[in-house]
Amino acid sequence: MSHSAILRSLQTIVPDTELRQDEVRDVFAAQPDLGRLAQRIVTASFNGSGIDTRYTVLDELSLISDAESPQFYDRASGALLSPATKVRNEIYVREAWKLYVDAARRSLESDPDITAADITHVITVSCTGFYAPGPDYEIVRALGLADSVQRYHLGFMGCYASVPALRAASQFCAADPDAVVLVVSVELCTLHLRSSEDPDMIVATSLFADGAAAGLVTARKFVSAVPGFALDRFHTGIIPEGKKDMAWMIGDEGFEMILSTAVPQLIGDHIFDALRPLYADRAELATAFDDGTIGEQIAHWAIHPGGRSILDRVEERLGLSEQQLGPARKVLRQYGNMSSATVLFVLRRILEQEGARDGDRVAAMAFGPGLTAEAALLTVVAPT
């Protein structure tokens, strides 16, 4: 394409209920059905998570709520409950659309030029609930978009899904120079948390949180100079050895995350193979990638913080600085792992709080079931 599509007006939101990691740890560790080993794993997982706070749509989990008919946490007994998948999904239906509409509205309202009438496509992203007519429909009706807006939903892909959503948006813009694509990710991961003795489930419980993000993607030229990211190039890599180590299944008591302790090692072992094609057509980047100086060529790294150990391994293998992984670590510490929405939180932080300058290169990367690594090469657009 002659001009890269630009991601602009990126906005992020979280629900009102804040979870303090140490308080949630104590509740999970105190469950009477846990054996001593599981209690130790809970303590270690929560303490080593790199998270201070998370957010949830479940008021019950605030630990101060006195719900008359608790579904997830009975404060009186201190017991964590395990509702059926149908109950969890009904809460998703009730709560998710508000975040979809709110995030989408904020993105539109923050843009000085783009209005509802300009939107040609809507892409919604989520892996934590289902319903139809879905969030894409809700956004069109609530924001007054044209009924003819093309709607797409990327569902159940896991933590990496916002990257293919941005790729699809850029492809729409390549096909139609007048396209303006609204991309919205909403994940309510806490709906699927529950007490367990399974180490993988315990790790997931210590990490996942709720959040939403939205942005506008277009190659159109507007009057105002708006900061954002040029979407230059995308690549999908697969680490087949990790298929069994990261998965997302539907069970009778919620969706079930498989997130084994082998994932950071697998990512570290294969990250060069997964990323090399992204830089293949740019000689200076390809050379830097192979000689270990890629961190000097690419200023900012929007790595999905799937967990602290994943960030540690990426930093070590790619020879990145502590500062380059700072945005991902700060998002993890403040918000936890919000699945597909998280990398958009990291990108927003890079643009607004990390001193990004016009022309700076950005590498974005997210990991999910498969084991799939989705990567993107971006350029900061920061008009002065």
Side-chain angles (χ1 to χ4, degrees), residues 126-320:
S126 189
C127 68
T128 47
F130 296 98
Y131 65 102
D136 51 320
Y137 174 91
E138 305 269 19
I139 290 169
V140 167
R141 302 304 296 166
L143 271 59
L145 308 187
D147 290 353
S148 59
V149 163
Q150 297 181 40
R151 312 194 317 261
Y152 302 87
H153 181 67
L154 301 188
F156 219 67
M157 296 178 75
C159 295
Y160 64 74
S162 284
V163 179
L166 294 177
R167 179 176 57 220
S170 70
Q171 290 169 341
F172 292 149
C173 294
D176 176 5
D178 292 325
V180 177
V181 187
L182 174 60
V183 177
V184 191
S185 165
V186 173
E187 300 288 13
L188 305 187
C189 303
T190 62
L191 296 183
H192 304 290
L193 302 183
R194 59 188 174 279
S195 180
S196 173
E197 291 210 330
D198 180 277
D200 291 350
M201 187 68 69
I202 291 172
V203 170
T205 298
S206 73
L207 293 173
F208 285 98
D210 301 349
L216 298 164
V217 176
T218 186
R220 284 176 60 181
K221 302 301 179 187
F222 288 93
V223 174
S224 304
V226 177
F229 298 97
L231 305 177
D232 299 327
R233 186 176 174 87
F234 294 86
H235 177 69
T236 301
I238 293 178
I239 304 170
E241 294 88 342
K243 180 182 178 182
K244 69 180 187 304
D245 294 288
M246 189 183 288
W248 194 217
M249 311 296 287
I250 297 179
D252 291 336
E253 297 178 332
F255 300 172
E256 299 175 354
M257 166 58 74
I258 298 169
L259 184 63
S260 87
T261 53
V263 168
Q265 181 69 43
L266 285 164
I267 290 173
D269 289 347
H270 296 275
I271 195 168
F272 280 94
D273 293 335
L275 279 180
R276 185 173 282 106
L278 189 67
Y279 310 115
D281 70 336
R282 306 198 178 195
E284 77 281 10
L285 295 185
T287 299
F289 192 69
D290 288 331
D291 67 15
T293 60
I294 192 65
E296 299 172 16
Q297 294 289 332
I298 297 179
H300 308 284
W301 291 77
I303 307 298
H304 167 68
R308 193 177 74 173
S309 55
I310 289 176
L311 295 178
D312 291 345
R313 191 55 56 94
V314 170
E315 181 179 317
E316 173 195 352
R317 291 289 288 147
L318 295 183
L320 304 181

